[in-house]
Amino acid sequence: MKLNIALLAGDGIGPEVIDQAVKVSNAIASKFNHEINWTPALTGAAAIDAVGEPYPDETHEICANADAVLFGAIGHPRFDNDPSAKVRPEQGLLKMRKKLGLFANVRPTFTFPSLIDKSPLKRERIEGTDLIILRELTGGVYFGVRGRKDNGNTAFDTMTYSRSEIQRLAKKGFEMAMKRGKKLCCVDKANVLEASRLWRETVQAMEKDYPEVEVSYEFVDAVAMRLVQWPKEYDVMITANLFGDILTDEASVISGSMGLMPSSSLGEKTKLYEPIHGSYPQAAGKDIANPLATVLSAAMLFEDFNLTEEAETIRSVVNKSLAEGIVTEDLADGGKAYKTSEVGDWLAQNL
């Protein structure tokens, strides 16, 4: 197979972890006789510095014409520490999601056998965890009407959803549940928010189309508690943009490190793959960041193109690296800490 992939390294540790995913992807392509054409493009603070725009039109064209996008991270402290900044790296991410129509963020949460005791949660609570949180990505409070009034002393952000936005995400959730454990949980705050009541009634109306799926409805605050108490009770969860952003980061600690969890963002055409962690500017340029989340995001990319054996081969070599202690400092636990690039080299060589 021939794949044309847009490569958006972004900011902070993004370029370093992306480099390792490219190494692994190229090794897989060589092993299974595929051809990958990579097209780099600017985004985030790097794009602001170069052209004054966090998601330039040229980058959008490259992404829109690619088979998929492999993305690193965006963000820089000089923008975080400047509340008056008019242009921010994160605006590029929101713009990219909106323009590419990436409405469904797929975040799996699972455990690694060799790291089960590195999680802050007890082994008996998390062993065997295998869930997916499906987060709506282009609506809700992040895209609603916002502003200031009363001479800037009052601020507001509006959570707005249409029925069609909820339906298209829920449809993907039901379809995923059908291929997995046939359990779907709709996470909302319907006891308070009108937008959540629309979520609940929309999903309820869709239940008849998927009679094999067991559907539950839970408030987001309760899920925040149960997710770390009984994560094995969940299979597929669907939720709004803000709730999903928070819950997926909470769920990442189950694995033992945010540097391990991959994700994908799906639309009607374009697909984007990225680690769930941020740009981690404190580690930028030090060759110490964990690249495994980005490598596993590349595995999700291959799987979505029905290259299942290739994806499983990547996951197997990642598990082998963890079992043999070929890890960066966040997982070294007093043992030898390998450099980001050394982990990438080891993975590629062991494929």
Side-chain angles (χ1 to χ4, degrees):
M1 179 179 286
K2 183 177 180 179
L3 292 171
N4 295 307
I5 301 177
L7 197 62
L8 274 58
D11 307 322
I13 63 171
E16 297 166 66
V17 295
I18 281 288
D19 283 349
Q20 313 321 311
V22 169
K23 286 178 189 176
V24 171
S25 298
N26 285 339
I28 280 288
S30 176
K31 183 180 181 71
F32 289 90
N33 297 314
H34 302 303
E35 179 183 344
I36 301 178
N37 294 322
W38 304 97
T39 305
L42 289 171
T43 191
I48 294 174
D49 291 342
V51 300
E53 160 65 47
Y55 183 62
D57 291 342
E58 182 181 355
T59 296
H60 176 68
E61 289 302 312
I62 289 171
C63 293
N65 292 317
D67 296 316
V69 181
L70 187 61
F71 173 63
I74 61 171
H76 195 284
R78 76 173 184 270
F79 296 94
D80 298 337
N81 297 329
D82 182 7
S84 64
K86 301 299 183 186
V87 181
R88 297 177 177 276
E90 291 78 10
Q91 292 170 342
L93 184 56
L94 296 179
K95 185 177 179 181
M96 176 168 61
R97 289 169 178 168
K98 199 72 171 180
K99 290 188 72 173
L100 292 175
L102 302 172
F103 65 85
N105 183 221
V106 182
R107 290 200 182 184
T109 297
F110 48 87
T111 54
F112 299 85
S114 59
L115 298 181
I116 199 77
D117 293 317
K118 290 186 181 293
S119 172
L121 303 179
K122 294 178 180 178
R123 170 187 284 263
E124 59 267 26
R125 292 196 181 276
I126 64 170
E127 196 166 26
T129 296
D130 179 15
L131 63 90
I132 288 178
I133 300 177
L134 196 58
R135 167 191 171 193
E136 199 287 322
L137 209 54
T138 57
V141 72
Y142 291 169
F143 290 92
V145 176
R146 66 189 57 177
R148 296 279 185 106
K149 59 184 181 180
D150 300 333
N151 295 318
N153 294 311
T154 301
F156 60 92
D157 297 272
T158 309
M159 179 183 288
T160 304
Y161 272 109
S162 66
R163 194 179 301 275
S164 60
E165 286 178 312
I166 301 165
Q167 286 172 331
R168 67 182 181 179
L169 184 87
K171 183 174 184 290
K172 285 196 177 292
F174 276 110
E175 290 171 350
M176 285 183 180
M178 285 294 294
K179 296 176 182 178
R180 292 170 48 90
K182 297 184 178 180
K183 291 172 62 180
L184 181 75
C185 179
C186 177
V187 182
D188 59 34
K189 192 62 177 169
N191 58 334
V192 176
L193 301 177
E194 192 63 34
S196 283
R197 287 191 272 274
L198 179 62
W199 269 79
R200 190 167 288 212
E201 71 178 53
T202 301
V203 176
Q204 286 173 338
M206 297 175 70
E207 286 187 38
K208 64 182 185 303
D209 299 323
Y210 304 90
E212 294 178 56
V213 178
E214 177 189 341
V215 185
S216 61
Y217 300 86
E218 296 186 26
F219 298 143
V220 63
D221 45 344
V223 171
M225 175 185 67
R226 294 170 183 159
L227 190 57
V228 292
Q229 288 182 308
W230 306 291
K232 289 182 282 189
E233 295 299 310
Y234 294 108
D235 180 25
V236 177
M237 306 165 76
I238 58 173
T239 193
N241 205 337
L242 174 62
F243 301 153
D245 194 0
I246 296 167
L247 289 176
T248 51
D249 279 5
E250 182 192 12
S252 71
V253 305
I254 293 171
S255 69
S257 171
M258 188 179 282
L260 293 169
M261 289 291 103
S263 78
S264 64
S265 297
L266 310 179
E268 297 300 338
K269 178 181 179 292
T270 307
K271 300 176 181 179
L272 180 143
Y273 301 84
E274 62 177 308
I276 74 164
H277 60 68
S279 60
Y280 192 13
Q282 301 91 332
K286 297 181 180 179
D287 203 20
I288 60 173
N290 189 341
L292 296 184
T294 315
V295 170
L296 291 170
S297 296
M300 291 181 73
L301 186 158
F302 283 106
E303 186 162 44
D304 281 350
F305 283 95
N306 295 317
L307 302 175
T308 305
E309 187 177 356
E310 289 84 338
E312 285 303 316
T313 301
I314 292 174
R315 293 183 184 117
S316 293
V317 78
V318 165
N319 274 317
K320 184 180 179 184
S321 74
L322 293 170
E324 296 188 15
I326 314 299
V327 295
T328 45
E329 64 176 32
D330 59 312
L331 297 175
D333 198 23
K336 180 178 178 180
Y338 288 78
K339 298 293 187 182
T340 307
S341 55
E342 291 174 334
V343 173
D345 289 340
W346 190 94
L347 293 170
Q349 291 163 6
N350 278 266
L351 285 169

